[in-house]
Amino acid sequence: MQNLLAEAGVASVAIKGIAAIATMYGDASRRMVADVDLVIEGDRLAPARAALEAAGFANVSLESHVASIGFSRYLHNYARTFARDGIEIDLHWQFGPRPPAALAIRRIVERSVVASAEGVDVRASGAIETALLAVHHALRNSFPAASTAKDAADLVMWWQCFGDEQGEALIAAALESGLASSLWALSRVAAHRNSGDAVARGLAAMENSLSRAERRQADTLRKFIEGNLSGDSPDDLTVELLSPAVFARSLVGPLLRVAGRRGAAAAGARPPGVRRPMLLRVRGRLERAGRISRELLRFERVATYRAVARAQSRFH
């Protein structure tokens, strides 16, 4: 796939699952991969899209999705998804509306490495960026149990492979990027399930680097993550309501999506979406309001929701 893009003059870097296999696990059987995630420079999207579509990949992302992403209350990546024969490729060119400093695309590209995945050489994200992408991914999704367990496992493997040599550099990059508290929380959860010396040494180094306020936030994030992994599913909207500025800005998003659908329909690109009946929409809103009310009445949980909202707000 990288060769296909390279022929079109597009440099790409594998991240997440493929990068983890190539740089840490070494064997695809040790790490599940649902899709292929690649980073490209934003100005190379057009030739990348043309190359993939010429190879039979269909663009399955809505045009209006990217237009409204900056106004969304969710901490989305800027990405396009292409699919063919059950293979899904996600092209990323920006990690959230305000990306962490260490996850700027140019930096990821410049610090990428060549590694082998199943006997095939791939250009993959460097060690520091691979770890921070796992942390950012978990935080971006409000630490849901299934994907967070995978991200925590990747961090355990990271500390075992790179901790002694690059642990200090990772901590410095996390502090620079505003991800240090989330890195500590996720590493602490990982250490709870794997008491390897490498993870313990990384935690000790981080504890000496975090300020008192960062330590408090990190411990609150840890409690939130532990609750999720114990089956306490978070309600995303409850997190979002605790970031009022982000939520207010998100009200623009639906207007952009409606405008995008109308524009596409007028151009004959795709028919407008079918709206659900009014009663179903009202029922859905009442159910969601009920979930939020129940969560806000669990006073010990509110502080953890607020910590996640504040951590996410750094990148909105």
Side-chain angles (χ1 to χ4, degrees):
M1 186 54 56
Q2 289 186 313
N3 290 338
L4 174 67
L5 293 174
E7 290 173 1
V10 180
S12 63
V13 176
I15 60 172
K16 297 168 68 173
I18 298 297
I21 291 170
T23 61
M24 297 189 298
Y25 292 95
D27 186 340
S29 66
R30 299 179 63 193
R31 171 61 156 83
M32 182 187 71
V33 175
D35 50 28
V36 177
D37 292 281
L38 299 174
V39 159
I40 64 170
E41 295 275 7
D43 61 2
R44 306 307 294 157
L45 177 61
R49 175 176 180 173
L52 288 172
E53 290 181 343
F57 285 89
N59 176 16
V60 299
S61 301
L62 295 177
E63 295 295 333
S64 59
H65 172 67
V66 173
S68 62
I69 225 172
F71 294 93
S72 172
R73 62 179 179 262
Y74 299 105
L75 191 56
H76 287 299
N77 289 341
Y78 289 77
R80 270 277 196 274
T81 300
F82 297 84
R84 185 191 75 184
D85 301 330
I87 300 172
E88 186 175 295
I89 297 174
D90 290 342
L91 293 182
H92 302 262
W93 66 91
Q94 185 171 311
F95 292 102
R98 294 197 313 173
L103 296 182
I105 298 302
R106 187 173 298 274
R107 183 164 170 170
I108 293 175
V109 172
E110 289 175 350
R111 293 170 58 89
S112 62
V113 299
V114 176
S116 179
E118 294 295 299
V120 177
D121 286 345
V122 297
R123 180 157 291 279
S125 54
I128 304 301
E129 293 71 35
T130 294
L132 291 181
L133 281 165
V135 175
H136 184 265
H137 179 259
L139 171 63
R140 177 170 66 86
N141 293 313
S142 301
F143 302 104
S147 62
T148 299
K150 183 171 60 178
D151 292 326
D154 284 347
L155 272 184
V156 168
M157 181 62 71
W158 191 94
W159 285 112
Q160 291 173 350
C161 292
F162 304 114
D164 290 337
E165 293 183 358
Q166 301 197 51
E168 290 185 7
L170 172 61
I171 295 169
L175 287 167
E176 174 195 15
S177 299
L179 286 167
S181 295
S182 299
L183 172 63
W184 184 93
L186 201 56
S187 296
R188 182 67 185 83
V189 169
H192 182 66
R193 286 158 171 75
N194 184 311
S195 56
D197 291 341
V199 183
R201 286 193 295 272
L203 282 169
M206 274 187 281
E207 287 169 5
N208 293 329
S209 302
L210 296 178
S211 67
R212 184 174 298 178
E214 289 169 332
R215 287 277 302 279
R216 284 198 300 269
Q217 183 188 45
D219 196 53
T220 307
L221 289 173
R222 175 193 60 79
K223 293 174 184 176
F224 183 84
I225 297 170
E226 291 284 9
N228 292 349
L229 294 178
S230 299
D232 204 359
S233 252
D235 181 73
D236 288 345
L237 190 55
T238 306
V239 173
E240 294 144 20
L241 283 174
L242 295 173
S243 299
V246 173
F247 188 79
R249 193 183 68 224
S250 75
L251 298 178
V252 179
L255 299 178
L256 288 178
R257 285 192 291 273
V258 170
R261 283 197 296 266
R262 287 177 178 173
R270 67 171 76 235
V274 178
R275 301 190 71 185
R276 292 190 304 162
M278 176 63 74
L279 287 177
L280 289 179
R281 281 184 278 150
V282 170
R283 177 183 173 182
R285 289 187 174 90
L286 289 175
E287 289 175 348
R288 173 145 262 192
R291 287 199 301 274
I292 294 170
S293 299
R294 288 193 297 272
E295 289 298 298
L296 292 177
L297 289 173
R298 299 170 59 199
F299 299 111
E300 77 287 351
R301 187 75 165 158
V302 172
T304 64
Y305 274 118
R306 186 180 295 114
V308 176
R310 287 176 176 171
Q312 290 179 345
S313 293
R314 289 176 177 269
F315 311 113
H316 268 287

